[in-house]
């Protein structure tokens, strides 16, 4: 059973009481112990578990942090049966608020790490909202089980860590019921956000792979919601990700955000590659920011690894019980070198590989037996299953084998410390360890090396601070640890030798490595990370109210189309009215993608298209032109039945006023010797790029790569563009890159020039146009729209009273109007043809039926 809405709960509080609610109190005090704010709930009602803090004025801004779990510890007193809540000082989501401005309120939405009975959920919700600024999402048990333990932990988690379910015994396969539970859980989270959000003011920050669909639900409800997402796990390569049956739904949900964050460039690169290969989207890097254009919106990509909370660690290390534990451990391991491992009980942490390397170390270096101890702290597993049990059994068996072989009374090479282990105890172990080994075969970030470095810095020591980190090259923190010993965890000999290097390393080198790490970690803490993300999110949302937003698509395919405020659909009624009232009309039409769908295999114009063109051309008030990138022979053949139709081929290099007039060039040089230089270069790239080909035109050469691998074709196109620009630098040509093409053509040739020449020609003949219709669909047609805009805005030229520049499809354009697709273009032209010759055209259409 789901709880009542938090809006309903707010009705229980007066307006004045609500305004007096204080901000979430600060958790970490430096020096000293983290402050605690608790609240108790009995089965019979509410009772306060602490004194009230002084209230402060309500903040002007708010950040809504949405994560799978709230930063709250919830326990039930065994005697009184009362719920006791307190902040979880170790929660990243709580710590990140230190990066926000002091006057910003932070509200949390997520689940509790406890099972709350349905009868208590309303009371718990009220207390968490009032005292902790938290909005709990109570998922039904069945949904929670399928959502978290099923789809998240047993399907997504392995897949995002490069483990494919090749067989039932090797990972869980995609389960439609679990996916539906995942979607439903994300919708429940979206419902909770909806209850508390002020969509015009609040910034929403969603975290991690549990909630990857949530952005679509929020964007559908609030088109201008200020929305960021940060993925804390790896993002796999496209070869792995594309195996997801719901891959497009998840990618589109990411793209419904304004800002998407990753720990490393590798993760971001994999995401961008998936967007390119599966959705056909290319990214651009501008002034240090990576952006994806998605239906007129720019989705910014953020790359920044998370940091740790320095204040919390200082606070913990300053506690008397931590200092006491440090001294106890120093005595316990006196005379020994301690190597430390801190890992979750997880398939990807490489625990058994670490143990094998330890065994190899003791086997090869006999002098280290009895002197080196590997202390392995095991945090509890976050889920259950056969895979977790197999990891546990294997690790324990290996540890026993190594201890039996190399151990002796008073000495065990591998020491297990089973969790949960308190933060104070962990800090003590970090402080006394000479080396820390993070050997995961795949991990998102892993902050263990950061925590270790800070603990080694802060702990009192008679000698300069020293630390050595052995880190797997497959985890997110590896690139930021330039002084670490990077290893391939699968290479047991490599890891073993790294352990030996760490043990035998001179103290001076240990100190230098430590100082290098500490300088970075202390300056790139969790507050720095949160502040940087928050600032970039604000920047990414600045243009929200400068465009009009349209929602398109159904279900999880929903997305927003962002358009210029003046951009609107072309009304047939309005244009027909203007058409009838004018006497000198110029109609300019692109062909591919405008009169004919791009996907059509047969490119020949249909009888319907030829008919409507003939009727438009038959009106003496009209001048109708097809302006295309196609060659003149092709256009001549296709439009031979249209004797009065004007044609402009190869983007305006060749022009013919009607069928019985000769083709004319644009007057530029006819020297095409540059083709002798361009063709060998294009041929080289064609041979090296499977699926590409060269199109030869009289005035141009085009290299096509739409059938090639998307990523490789795009890379080759960039290289070819650069290569051709260098080779043809002194030739009278321009090299341009378009959609899946690289084209070389003479300078001064464009569809825009065609427009200018035709308007000038009509004016010189005393037929200055008072009606101009131009329809196109791609980048080359934008030249026509730009030329029209210049002509209209030039006060020195005669006014064109009715101008309709129209693109096909809702997308950013220089045009002021749009039509959805080619079918709407044909309907529009039919409407104009009917206006020119009503009875004749209608009879012809009925006859064709």
């Amino acid at each position: 059973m789901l709880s009542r809405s938090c809006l309903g709960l707010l009705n229980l509080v007066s307006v004045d009481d609500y305004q007096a609610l204080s901000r979430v109190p600060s958790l970490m005090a430096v020096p000293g112990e983290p402050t605690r704010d608790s609240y108790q709930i009995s089965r019979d009602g509410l009772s306060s578990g602490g004194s009230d803090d002084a209230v402060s004025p309500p903040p002007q801004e708010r950040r809504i942090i949405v994560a799978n779990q709230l930063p709250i510890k919830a326990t039930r007193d065994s005697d009184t049966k009362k719920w006791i809540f307190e902040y979880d000082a170790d929660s990243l989501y709580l710590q990140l608020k230190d990066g926000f401005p002091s006057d910003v309120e932070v509200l949390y939405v997520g689940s509790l790490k406890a099972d709350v009975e349905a009868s208590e959920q309303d009371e718990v919700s009220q207390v968490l909202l009032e005292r902790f600024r938290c909005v709990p999402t109570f998922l039904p048990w069945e949904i929670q089980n399928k959502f978290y333990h099923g789809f998240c932990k047993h399907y997504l988690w392995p897949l995002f860590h490069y483990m494919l379910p090749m067989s039932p015994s090797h990972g869980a396969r995609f389960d439609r019921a679990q996916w539906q539970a995942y979607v439903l859980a994300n919708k429940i989270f979206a419902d909770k956000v909806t209850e508390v959000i002020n969509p015009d003011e609040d910034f929403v920050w969603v975290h991690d792979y549990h909630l990857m669909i949530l952005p679509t639900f929020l964007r559908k409800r609030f088109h201008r919601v200020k929305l960021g997402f940060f993925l804390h796990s790896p993002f796999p390569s496209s070869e792995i990700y594309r195996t997801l049956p719901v891959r497009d739904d998840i990618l589109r949900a990411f793209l419904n955000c304004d800002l998407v964050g990753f720990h490393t460039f590798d993760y971001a690169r994999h995401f961008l590659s998936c967007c390119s290969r599966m959705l056909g989207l290319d990214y651009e890097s501008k002034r240090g920011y990576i952006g994806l254009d998605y239906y007129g919106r720019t989705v910014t990509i953020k790359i920044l690894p998370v940091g740790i909370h320095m204040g919390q660690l200082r606070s913990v290390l300053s506690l008397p019980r931590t200092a006491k534990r440090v001294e106890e451990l120093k005595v316990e391991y006196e005379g020994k070198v301690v190597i430390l491992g801190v890992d979750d009980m997880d398939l990807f942490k490489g625990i058994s590989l670490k143990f094998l390397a330890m065994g190899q170390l003791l086997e090869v270096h006999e002098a280290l037996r009895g002197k080196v101890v590997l202390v392995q702290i095991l945090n509890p597993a976050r889920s259950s299953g056969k895979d977790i049990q197999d990891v546990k059994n294997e690790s324990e068996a290996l540890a026993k084998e190594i201890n039996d072989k190399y151990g002796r009374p008073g000495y065990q090479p591998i020491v297990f410390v089973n969790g949960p282990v308190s933060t104070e105890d962990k800090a003590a172990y970090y402080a006394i360890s000479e080396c820390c080994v993070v050997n995961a075969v795949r991990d998102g970030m892993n902050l263990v090396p950061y925590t270790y470095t800070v603990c080694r810095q802060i702990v009192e020591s008679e000698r300069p601070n020293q630390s050595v980190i052995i880190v797997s090259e497959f985890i997110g923190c590896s690139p930021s640890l330039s002084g670490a010993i990077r290893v391939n965890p699968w290479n047991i000999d490599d890891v073993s030798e790294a352990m030996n290097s760490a043990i035998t390393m001179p103290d001076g080198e240990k100190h230098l490595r430590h100082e290098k790490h500490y300088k970075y970690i202390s300056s790139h803490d969790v507050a720095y990370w949160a502040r940087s993300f928050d600032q970039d999110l604000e920047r990414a949302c600045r243009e929200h109210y400068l465009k009009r937003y349209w929602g398109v698509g159904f279900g999880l395919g929903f997305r927003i189309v962002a358009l210029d405020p003046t951009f609107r659909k072309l009304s047939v009624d309005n244009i027909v009215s203007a058409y009838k009232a004018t006497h000198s009309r110029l109609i300019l039409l692109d062909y591919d993608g405008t009169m004919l769908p791009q996907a059509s295999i047969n490119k020949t114009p249909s009888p319907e298209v030829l008919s409507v063109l003939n009727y438009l051309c038959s009106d003496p008030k009209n001048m109708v032109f097809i302006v295309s990138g196609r060659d003149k022979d092709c256009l001549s053949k296709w439009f031979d039945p249209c004797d009065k139709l004007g044609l402009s081929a190869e983007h305006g290099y060749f022009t013919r006023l009607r069928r019985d007039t000769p083709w004319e060039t644009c007057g530029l040089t006819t020297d095409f010797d540059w083709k002798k230089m361009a063709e060998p270069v294009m041929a080289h790239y064609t041979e090296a790029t499977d699926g590409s080909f060269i199109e030869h035109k009289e005035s141009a050469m085009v290299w096509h790569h739409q059938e090639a691998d998307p990523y490789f074709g795009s890379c080759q196109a960039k290289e070819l563009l650069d290569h051709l620009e260098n080779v043809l630098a002194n030739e009278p040509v321009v090299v341009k890159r378009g959609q899946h093409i690289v084209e070389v053509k003479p300078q001064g040739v464009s569809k825009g020039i065609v427009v200018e020449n035709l308007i000038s020609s009509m004016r010189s003949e005393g037929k200055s146009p008072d009606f101009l219709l131009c329809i196109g669909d791609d980048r080359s047609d934008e030249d026509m729209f730009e030329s029209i805009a210049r002509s209209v805005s030039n006060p020195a030229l005669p006014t064109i009273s009715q101008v309709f520049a129209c693109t096909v499809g809702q997308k950013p354009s220089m045009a002021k109007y749009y039509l959805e697709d080619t079918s709407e273009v044909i309907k529009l032209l039919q409407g104009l043809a009917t206006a020119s010759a009503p009875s004749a055209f209608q009879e012809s259409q009925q006859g064709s039926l």
Side-chain angles (χ1 to χ4, degrees):
M1 175 180 177
L2 300 178
S3 68
R4 286 190 288 126
S5 74
C6 286
L7 288 181
L9 291 176
L10 288 176
N11 291 331
L12 300 176
V13 187
S14 71
V15 174
D16 292 337
D17 288 340
Y18 177 67
Q19 291 178 342
L21 292 176
S22 62
R23 292 180 63 246
V24 179
S26 178
L27 284 189
M28 293 73 174
V30 184
E33 190 171 355
T35 63
R36 296 178 183 268
D37 188 3
S38 64
Y39 215 82
Q40 298 181 353
I41 302 180
S42 69
R43 292 182 181 273
D44 300 323
L46 308 178
S47 63
S48 176
S51 62
D52 291 335
D53 294 322
V55 298
S56 58
Q60 296 179 347
E61 296 184 37
R62 191 166 64 165
R63 305 293 185 265
I64 300 177
I65 307 300
V66 191
N68 181 47
Q69 292 185 333
L70 291 171
I72 296 291
K73 291 181 180 179
T75 56
R76 192 189 286 279
D77 189 281
S78 58
D79 296 326
T80 64
K81 305 303 180 184
K82 294 178 180 179
W83 279 110
I84 302 175
F85 300 111
E86 61 181 342
Y87 289 114
D88 183 357
D90 294 326
S91 172
L92 171 69
Y93 308 124
L94 190 67
Q95 296 170 357
L96 64 80
K97 76 183 185 72
D98 286 4
F100 299 146
S102 59
D103 61 341
V104 167
E105 177 190 13
V106 181
L107 187 69
Y108 297 95
V109 177
S111 296
L112 276 175
K113 305 173 192 176
D115 295 325
V116 179
E117 296 178 9
S119 60
E120 300 175 294
Q121 289 177 4
D122 287 344
E123 292 177 315
V124 168
S125 295
Q126 182 177 352
V127 168
L128 290 177
L129 179 62
E130 292 181 0
R131 298 294 298 178
F132 298 92
R133 311 305 295 138
C134 292
V135 180
T137 55
F138 298 111
L139 301 180
W141 179 86
E142 183 180 0
I143 297 297
Q144 170 70 15
N145 190 52
K146 290 181 178 179
F147 155 66
Y148 183 75
H149 297 291
F151 195 75
C152 288
K153 297 307 293 184
H154 285 109
Y155 182 71
L156 278 181
W157 180 259
L159 189 73
F160 275 43
H161 288 73
Y162 290 74
M163 178 179 169
L164 291 174
M166 304 301 292
S167 67
S169 61
H170 190 71
R173 290 179 174 172
F174 180 81
D175 185 307
R176 181 66 58 176
Q178 290 181 356
W179 163 246
Q180 291 171 348
Y182 182 86
V183 174
L184 179 56
N186 275 247
K187 183 179 181 299
I188 292 172
F189 274 79
D191 292 341
K192 287 298 179 183
V193 175
T194 301
E195 291 170 0
V196 296
I197 190 175
N198 178 351
D200 293 328
E201 301 294 337
D202 296 344
F203 288 83
V204 182
W205 187 357
V206 183
H207 289 266
D208 221 4
Y209 69 101
H210 315 89
L211 302 174
M212 292 188 294
I213 293 299
L214 177 60
T216 294
F217 289 117
L218 292 179
R219 185 65 67 186
K220 189 172 186 179
R221 298 176 189 184
F222 311 108
H223 290 180
R224 288 183 171 85
V225 63
K226 301 165 184 175
L227 184 56
F229 183 95
F230 198 94
L231 185 68
H232 294 272
S233 75
F235 194 95
S237 66
S238 60
E239 287 76 14
I240 298 293
Y241 181 82
R242 71 198 313 170
T243 64
L244 257 172
V246 291
R247 62 193 191 186
D248 287 359
D249 292 335
I250 293 176
L251 279 183
R252 293 191 185 279
F254 273 95
L255 295 171
N256 275 323
C257 298
D258 297 296
L259 178 66
V260 180
F262 300 93
H263 286 305
T264 71
F265 175 70
D266 275 350
Y267 303 160
R269 178 170 56 86
H270 294 158
F271 170 74
L272 294 170
S273 175
C274 288
C275 289
S276 173
R277 291 175 180 274
M278 295 164 212
L279 301 180
L281 301 176
D282 291 325
Y283 70 91
E284 288 185 344
S285 182
K286 186 177 181 181
R287 295 184 178 180
Y289 293 100
I290 298 175
L292 278 163
D293 183 75
Y294 187 59
Y295 292 95
R297 293 172 50 249
T298 298
V299 181
T300 305
I301 306 302
K302 174 79 171 176
I303 303 167
L304 184 66
V306 70
I308 61 174
H309 197 290
M310 299 291 291
Q312 184 207 12
L313 277 179
R314 290 193 180 100
S315 177
V316 170
L317 287 166
S318 67
L319 295 175
R321 60 177 176 270
T322 305
K324 180 181 178 183
R325 186 59 178 146
V326 169
E327 294 304 319
E328 291 173 353
L329 292 175
K330 284 182 178 180
V331 172
E332 183 177 350
Y333 293 104
E334 186 178 2
K336 296 180 176 63
V337 176
V338 177
I339 299 175
L340 181 66
V342 181
D343 300 284
D344 294 344
M345 179 55 73
D346 187 272
L347 183 64
F348 303 101
K349 299 302 182 182
I351 298 171
S352 59
L353 296 175
K354 191 188 306 180
F355 289 176
L356 288 171
M358 180 65 180
Q360 178 79 352
L361 175 71
L362 297 177
E363 177 68 27
V364 175
H365 303 280
E366 297 184 15
L368 297 178
R369 298 174 189 175
K371 296 181 180 179
V372 179
V373 177
L374 172 59
V375 176
Q376 179 63 56
I377 296 177
L378 287 174
N379 299 321
R382 301 188 186 186
S383 64
S384 58
K386 183 178 180 297
D387 55 343
I388 300 297
Q389 191 58 47
D390 289 345
V391 171
K392 187 174 184 295
N393 293 340
E394 182 186 15
S395 300
E396 290 176 349
L398 277 173
K400 184 177 184 303
E401 179 184 339
I402 293 169
N403 285 339
D404 289 345
K405 184 173 182 180
Y406 302 108
R408 53 183 183 232
Y411 170 69
Q412 278 191 322
I414 298 177
V415 177
F416 268 115
V417 181
N418 288 306
V421 178
S422 69
T423 304
E424 294 84 356
D425 274 11
K426 283 183 184 176
Y429 275 106
Y430 284 130
I432 62 102
S433 301
E434 291 288 326
C435 173
C436 180
V437 181
V438 183
N439 204 51
V441 297
R442 190 73 65 175
D443 209 350
M445 180 60 190
N446 201 314
L447 294 175
V448 166
Y450 286 20
T451 307
Y452 166 70
T453 301
V454 175
C455 288
R456 291 288 290 178
Q457 172 75 18
I458 296 176
V459 69
E460 293 183 6
S461 177
E462 296 179 357
R463 58 183 179 178
N465 301 107
Q466 300 173 4
S467 65
V468 182
I469 298 170
I470 298 174
V471 64
S472 164
E473 61 192 51
F474 299 115
I475 65 176
C477 66
S478 177
S480 62
L481 297 171
S482 56
I485 303 175
R486 294 192 180 95
V487 294
N488 174 3
W490 299 100
N491 188 334
I492 305 302
D493 293 338
D494 187 25
V495 179
S496 175
E497 280 308 305
M499 289 179 174
N500 183 56
S501 297
I503 294 167
T504 59
M505 186 178 294
D507 289 350
E509 185 176 348
K510 291 180 181 180
H511 175 67
L512 290 174
R513 289 174 182 260
H514 171 87
E515 288 297 313
K516 192 173 188 179
H517 289 156
Y518 183 76
K519 182 179 179 180
Y520 174 84
I521 294 167
S522 61
S523 61
H524 291 72
D525 61 357
V526 67
Y528 174 89
W529 170 74
R531 181 166 53 253
S532 179
F533 189 93
D534 188 59
Q535 290 170 350
D536 280 359
L537 180 57
E538 288 191 37
R539 184 192 59 81
C541 299
R542 283 175 187 167
E543 297 186 356
H544 272 201
Y545 291 93
L546 300 180
K547 297 181 179 180
R548 289 195 305 164
Y549 281 7
W550 298 78
V552 297
F554 298 99
L556 296 177
F558 178 84
R559 65 266 188 203
I560 289 294
V561 177
L563 305 172
D564 187 274
T566 61
F567 192 64
R568 58 190 184 276
K569 190 167 184 176
L570 185 56
S571 167
V572 175
D573 293 339
N574 288 345
I575 193 173
V576 167
S577 175
Y579 182 87
K580 290 179 177 179
T582 50
H583 306 283
S584 180
R585 312 181 190 111
L586 177 59
I587 300 174
L588 305 170
L589 304 168
D590 175 45
Y591 182 62
D592 292 275
T594 300
M595 306 285 286
L596 185 79
Q598 287 281 9
S600 297
I601 297 176
N602 183 8
K603 301 297 184 180
T604 305
S606 66
E608 181 184 37
V609 169
L610 295 174
S611 174
V612 73
L613 289 174
N614 271 325
Y615 272 94
L616 288 172
C617 292
S618 66
D619 190 329
K621 298 177 182 179
N622 295 343
M623 176 179 283
V624 185
F625 255 81
I626 296 292
V627 185
S628 172
R630 294 275 182 179
D631 63 80
K632 62 184 178 67
D633 293 336
C634 187
L635 293 179
S636 296
K637 178 181 177 182
W638 285 348
F639 294 100
D640 185 68
C642 305
D643 60 330
K644 295 181 180 180
L645 178 68
L647 298 176
S648 183
E650 300 188 19
H651 299 298
Y653 188 82
F654 295 102
T655 301
R656 189 181 75 181
L657 295 179
R658 49 191 297 156
R659 189 177 62 189
D660 57 2
T661 60
W663 286 96
E664 297 179 358
T665 65
C666 60
L668 298 174
T669 176
T670 56
D671 181 6
F672 295 108
D673 287 345
W674 56 265
K675 287 188 176 183
K676 296 177 183 178
M677 292 183 282
E679 186 171 11
V681 177
M682 285 190 175
H684 170 72
Y685 283 84
T686 302
E687 182 181 350
T689 312
D690 187 39
S692 65
F693 64 93
I694 302 172
E695 178 187 2
H696 294 270
K697 300 179 181 179
E698 285 192 46
S699 67
M701 293 183 66
V702 187
W703 187 76
H704 296 261
H705 63 91
Q706 62 263 37
E707 301 299 328
D709 175 88
Y711 182 76
F712 184 57
S714 179
C715 290
Q716 291 289 80
K718 291 178 183 177
E719 287 294 321
L720 176 59
L721 179 71
D722 183 63
H723 197 157
L724 288 171
E725 284 179 338
N726 287 329
V727 170
L728 304 173
N730 298 319
E731 300 297 320
V733 296
V734 292
V735 185
K736 284 191 173 183
R737 187 179 175 197
Q739 188 172 8
H740 305 305
I741 65 164
V742 175
E743 183 175 22
V744 185
K745 61 182 181 180
Q747 291 176 349
V749 175
S750 77
K751 290 186 177 182
I753 301 296
V754 175
V755 175
E756 293 175 4
N757 291 340
L758 289 174
I759 294 175
S760 176
S761 174
M762 292 179 70
R763 285 170 175 163
S764 65
E765 295 175 3
K767 299 179 180 179
S768 182
D770 54 5
F771 176 95
L772 175 56
L773 171 64
C774 180
I775 308 178
D777 76 302
D778 64 14
R779 294 180 185 177
S780 64
D781 300 315
E782 292 296 318
D783 292 336
M784 290 197 290
F785 302 147
E786 186 176 358
S787 177
I788 291 170
R790 283 199 305 268
S791 297
V792 170
S793 62
N794 189 344
L797 298 176
T799 302
I800 304 175
S801 59
Q802 302 292 339
V803 177
F804 300 92
C806 178
T807 188
V808 180
Q810 296 186 41
K811 57 182 182 288
S813 172
M814 287 288 292
K816 298 299 182 183
Y817 299 92
Y818 72 90
L819 292 170
E820 294 288 358
D821 51 34
T822 56
S823 65
E824 288 197 355
V825 174
I826 301 302
K827 288 179 182 178
L828 174 71
L829 296 177
Q830 287 173 343
L832 298 181
T834 302
S836 286
S839 57
F841 182 72
Q842 289 174 358
E843 288 175 6
S844 71
Q845 293 299 297
Q846 291 172 358
S848 65
L849 293 175

